[in-house]
Structure formats: structure tokens, C-alpha cells
């Protein structure tokens, strides 16, 4: 059982993260009753097999622009701490927030609007192998052609690839105008200003209503490249 001191530190850390999230301006973001699922230690093959389309496998960083306190964005073949590897394909996107920054953000603007007509879930992978024991908030913001935005947040930790699944409600995709996307923004928010390095991969969507059940891992794989193990087992 965790000690009272540890529980107090965890509560204070989560409160600090919430305060940072609430302090970040969110213009034109519509409040919708969405649903977010986080699948830690996700099986890459199982996730890829259940996606209808991969929007970006992050084989190149050219279309992703840094925002907020982000100082560096790069498509890398391997993560900083070897032998970590990308979630999908040969590369993933590395973002770096320097000391003094609490937020790292990357934005992709689409020259031609991206259609999410078939999308039921928006999905992306995030990993923080260099940041063991630290708590983060992952945020995705989708901007539609009418200028409105849809945003979701969820807590994540490092040491493994996490799949973030954001449920897109029917009112977002029932009409062509509402389902056309002009930009997607991915952000990570720390509870402190120590700086950090993080990785994104496998941004895509699924047209399956039950995606959150279909990709629940019967086997799990950490991003450091260990052999897959049965779900529910912990790593030392």
C-alpha cells in the first residue's frame, strides 16, 4: 500500500497538471460529451490492424510545426533510450520541451481538408521513455473547416507506448462540413517545468464503434522492445 506521503505527492502532482491545463487558453473549442480511452502498453500490431486509416506514420517531420514551448521536432528511427523503437513503421516523431517549459505542442495544417466522415475514433500513440515516474497530460485538438475545434485530454505516463483513443460523436461526422479537418494539434503537458522529451506515432482513425474493446491488449509490448507479455503483468 502506498504511504500517506506518496498519496499526498500524487494528489498535488495531478492538481498541478490540472492547473496548467486550465490555464492554457482554448479559443473556439466546443464542449462536447466525448469519450477518451487510454490503453497503456498497447500491442502495435493489434492497434494497426483495427485502424481504418493511418493519417500520419511520422516518417517525416516536415509537415509538423512546433508550437508553445517546443524547441525541436524530428522524425527519428529510434528513441533516445536504446533499444526503444517506433510504434509503427521505421520512424516516429520526437518532440522536445526545454527546461523551463511545461508544454510541448506540434501542429499539422492540411492544405486540403482531411475528411473524417467515416471516423468513430481518433487515435494516436505517445511514449515518454526518458521520463519514468512523471505524470503528463496528453491533449489532441482538431480544428474543423467552420473554425470550431474539438479537444480532448487524458493522463499518460512514460515507459511504454500508450494508445490514446478519442471518441468522435455523431454530431461531428454526420455532415461533410463538420467532418472536414483543417488542422490537428498534439500536445503534452507536464506538472512541472523541468522540460522533457516525448514521442508520437501512428496518428489515425477507426470507423469501428467497438475499437476501445477490440484493441484491449491480450498481449502487451513496452516501447523498450521487450518480448510481449500477458496483460496484467507488471514490469520491473
Amino acid at each position: 500500500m502506498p504511504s500517506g506521503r506518496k498519496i499526498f505527492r500524487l494528489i498535488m502532482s495531478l492538481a498541478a497538471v490540472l492547473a496548467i491545463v486550465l490555464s492554457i487558453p482554448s479559443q473556439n473549442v466546443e464542449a462536447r460529451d466525448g469519450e477518451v480511452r487510454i490503453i497503456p502498453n498497447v500491442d502495435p500490431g493489434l492497434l494497426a490492424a483495427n485502424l481504418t486509416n493511418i493519417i500520419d506514420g511520422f516518417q517525416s517531420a516536415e509537415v509538423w510545426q512546433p508550437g508553445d514551448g517546443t524547441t525541436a521536432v524530428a522524425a527519428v528511427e529510434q528513441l533516445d533510450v536504446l533499444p526503444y523503437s517506433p510504434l509503427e513503421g521505421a520512424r516516429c516523431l520526437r518532440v522536445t520541451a526545454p527546461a523551463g517549459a511545461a508544454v510541448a505542442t506540434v501542429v499539422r495544417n492540411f492544405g486540403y481538408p482531411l475528411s473524417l466522415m467515416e471516423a468513430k475514433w481518433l487515435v494516436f500513440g505517445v511514449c515518454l521513455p526518458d521520463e519514468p515516474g512523471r505524470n503528463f497530460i496528453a491533449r489532441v485538438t482538431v480544428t474543423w473547416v467552420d473554425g470550431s475545434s474539438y479537444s480532448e485530454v487524458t493522463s499518460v505516463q512514460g515507459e511504454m507506448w500508450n494508445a490514446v483513443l478519442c471518441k468522435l460523436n455523431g454530431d461531428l461526422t454526420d455532415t461533410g462540413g463538420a467532418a472536414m479537418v483543417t488542422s490537428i494539434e498534439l500536445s503534452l503537458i507536464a506538472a512541472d517545468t523541468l522540460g522533457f522529451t516525448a514521442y508520437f506515432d501512428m496518428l489515425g482513425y477507426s470507423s469501428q464503434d467497438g475499437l476501445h474493446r477490440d484493441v484491449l491488449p491480450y498481449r502487451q509490448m513496452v516501447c523498450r522492445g521487450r518480448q510481449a507479455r500477458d496483460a496484467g503483468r507488471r514490469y520491473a
Side-chain angles (χ1 to χ4, degrees), residues 204-224:
Y205 67 81
S206 173
S207 58
Q208 302 178 47
D209 286 317
L211 176 69
H212 59 295
R213 296 185 299 270
D214 295 336
V215 297
L216 285 175
Y218 54 87
R219 290 184 179 274
Q220 298 183 328
M221 180 179 293
V222 293
C223 62
R224 64 166 65 96

Side-chain angles (χ1 to χ4, degrees), residues 191-202:
D192 51 51
T193 57
L194 299 176
F196 57 89
T197 297
Y199 301 84
F200 292 112
D201 206 357
M202 204 185 292

Side-chain angles (χ1 to χ4, degrees), residues 54-125:
I54 295 179
I55 299 170
D56 201 319
F58 299 104
Q59 301 307 297
S60 171
E62 292 182 1
V63 296
W64 290 92
Q65 301 300 315
D68 290 337
T70 310
T71 59
V73 178
V76 295
E77 293 184 358
Q78 55 194 14
L79 284 62
D80 283 342
V81 182
L82 300 177
Y84 289 62
S85 59
L87 179 63
E88 185 272 337
R91 295 175 181 271
C92 58
L93 193 72
R94 182 179 65 204
V95 297
T96 303
V103 182
T105 297
V106 287
V107 182
R108 177 173 175 179
N109 295 303
F110 296 93
Y112 294 93
L114 170 71
S115 174
L116 292 184
M117 281 288 291
E118 299 179 356
K120 299 294 181 63
W121 296 86
L122 184 66
V123 180
F124 64 95

Side-chain angles (χ1 to χ4, degrees), residues 102-202:
V103 182
T105 297
V106 287
V107 182
R108 177 173 175 179
N109 295 303
F110 296 93
Y112 294 93
L114 170 71
S115 174
L116 292 184
M117 281 288 291
E118 299 179 356
K120 299 294 181 63
W121 296 86
L122 184 66
V123 180
F124 64 95
V126 59
C127 187
L128 295 122
D130 303 309
E131 317 299 339
R134 297 177 65 187
N135 296 308
F136 293 83
I137 292 293
R139 181 182 64 193
V140 59
T141 301
V142 175
T143 301
W144 312 98
V145 293
D146 63 2
S148 64
S149 297
Y150 159 84
S151 187
E152 294 285 4
V153 298
T154 187
S155 60
V156 295
Q157 288 185 319
E159 291 296 308
M160 63 188 71
W161 279 109
N162 300 273
V164 180
L165 284 61
C166 303
K167 179 71 170 178
L168 297 176
N169 290 336
D171 59 342
L172 293 177
T173 56
D174 282 344
T175 64
M180 301 302 288
V181 175
T182 57
S183 70
I184 295 178
E185 175 185 290
L186 301 175
S187 302
L188 280 168
I189 306 164
D192 51 51
T193 57
L194 299 176
F196 57 89
T197 297
Y199 301 84
F200 292 112
D201 206 357
M202 204 185 292

